[in-house]
Amino acid sequence: MCKVPSEIVEKIGAAVFEGSIEEAGELAKQALASGLNPLDVIEKGCVPAIEKAGDWFARGDYFLPELVASAEAMKAAMAVLEPALREQKAERKVLGRVVLGTVQGDIHDIGKSIVGSMLSAAGFEVYDLGVDVPGETFVAKVKEVGADILGLSALLTTTMPRQREVIELLTEKGLRDKVKVIVGGAPVTEDWAHKCGADAYGEDAIRAVRVAKELVQ
Ligand code: B1M
């Protein structure tokens, strides 16, 4: 990567970390205008910055308003970068239908939305139900659209059990053998994916797309 674009990526990181909302959006526009790949900007600029804000929050050096400001700045950058990400359609034919959301009690949506955009770019039809989604809503949408895959995101250790509950609800409604389930989110592991009865674990957005493709093959 040449000097100027990497400077922009660094500046976006700083803007996200410092919670400079307008600047983050503006820099994201500049990054795209200078021909940078949106996924690189997200992964090398925005994600390390929001993770650093999370670390500072965990050790008490950032308070909640500062973490919220960082998240808002990240969302401002993502509002510019995500449409560009979705436009990078690698394949034209629809690979499958995915119902996606963050489980009930959890309002973290940044990672889940990246996963949705990447799945969309890869050729999946994505129904993103948003955050704090009750199990019944997931199940109803799976039924309504005849989903091939259900993606459940959880960012809190306290909301991970909701993933298992949604899978149990699918079984209760007789839909478990009709849809594959992928779980993901920062505290989620391969081991948890097995324990909660999911079909697959997506460590990050790229791997989520890879496993989604494998599951529909
Ligand atoms: Co929150 N938060 N937060 N937070 N937050 C964490 C998760 C935390 C680890 C921070 C910390 O203490 N270090 C901690 C959880 C601790 C725990 O559970 N053990 C925490 C806490 C405690 C909280 C609150 C309880 C704080 C409070 O109120 N006292 C509160 C909870 C609110 C709630 O949900 N009910 C809260 C609130 C918030 C904000 C609103 C301020 C904001 C969210 C804003 C938003 O999303 N709109 C926020 C943020 C930003 C974070 C951190 C800093 C960053 C999350 C993020 O966006 N990461 C986070 C710390 C961290 O993760 N390091 C933290 C970037 C994103 C690209 O990564 O989401 O991991 P991620 O997604 C990745 C992969 O995980 C994967 O792919 C994505 C892309 O690579 N992936 C999937 C995600 N979903 C997937 C689904 C898949 C497959 C892959 O298949 C379906």
Side-chain angles (χ1 to χ4, degrees):
M1 191 186 284
C2 70
K3 195 165 176 282
V4 173
S6 83
E7 257 172 29
I8 298 179
V9 171
E10 267 174 37
K11 280 186 186 167
I12 291 182
V16 168
F17 180 67
E18 285 157 16
S20 307
I21 300 167
E22 269 179 38
E23 199 187 340
E26 210 37 62
L27 285 163
K29 284 181 197 156
Q30 284 179 29
L32 291 184
S34 51
L36 288 180
N37 181 316
L39 188 61
D40 278 347
V41 181
I42 294 168
E43 289 196 330
K44 294 178 186 158
C46 301
V47 170
I50 194 74
E51 286 180 351
K52 186 173 158 196
D55 291 344
W56 279 43
F57 173 70
R59 64 171 200 245
D61 288 334
Y62 254 17
F63 294 106
L64 194 57
E66 290 158 315
L67 182 63
V68 171
S70 291
E72 288 304 316
M74 173 133 183
K75 290 189 82 175
M78 295 303 296
V80 176
L81 298 168
E82 271 182 344
L85 200 62
R86 282 194 294 272
E87 273 167 25
Q88 293 185 332
K89 289 231 182 229
E91 295 157 51
R92 291 278 161 225
K93 73 172 176 107
V94 175
L95 294 180
R97 295 197 180 106
V98 183
V99 169
L100 178 70
T102 303
V103 296
Q104 191 159 33
D106 199 326
I107 60 163
H108 294 87
D109 73 347
I110 296 169
K112 178 267 303 160
S113 299
I114 296 176
V115 171
S117 297
M118 294 284 293
L119 285 168
S120 212
F124 286 90
E125 204 170 289
V126 178
Y127 299 84
D128 187 340
L129 302 182
V131 296
D132 192 17
V133 182
E136 293 76 12
T137 308
F138 279 120
V139 172
K141 197 71 184 176
V142 163
K143 199 170 173 191
E144 181 197 323
V145 304
D148 303 290
I149 294 176
L150 171 62
L152 302 170
S153 183
L155 262 286
L156 299 169
T157 44
T158 49
T159 55
M160 280 166 63
R162 302 290 91 75
Q163 295 179 323
R164 176 165 31 209
E165 287 166 19
V166 178
I167 294 169
E168 284 169 357
L169 194 59
L170 282 174
T171 308
E172 213 180 289
K173 302 288 178 189
L175 292 168
R176 183 64 189 95
D177 57 347
K178 297 190 168 53
V179 64
K180 301 287 183 191
V181 181
I182 305 179
V183 289
V188 175
T189 59
E190 185 89 57
D191 185 45
W192 169 251
H194 285 299
K195 282 189 181 137
C196 74
D199 297 290
Y201 162 58
E203 189 180 350
D204 55 30
I206 290 175
R207 273 169 273 206
V209 170
R210 194 185 304 149
V211 293
K213 283 181 173 172
E214 283 166 12
L215 288 174
V216 293
Q217 258 167 21

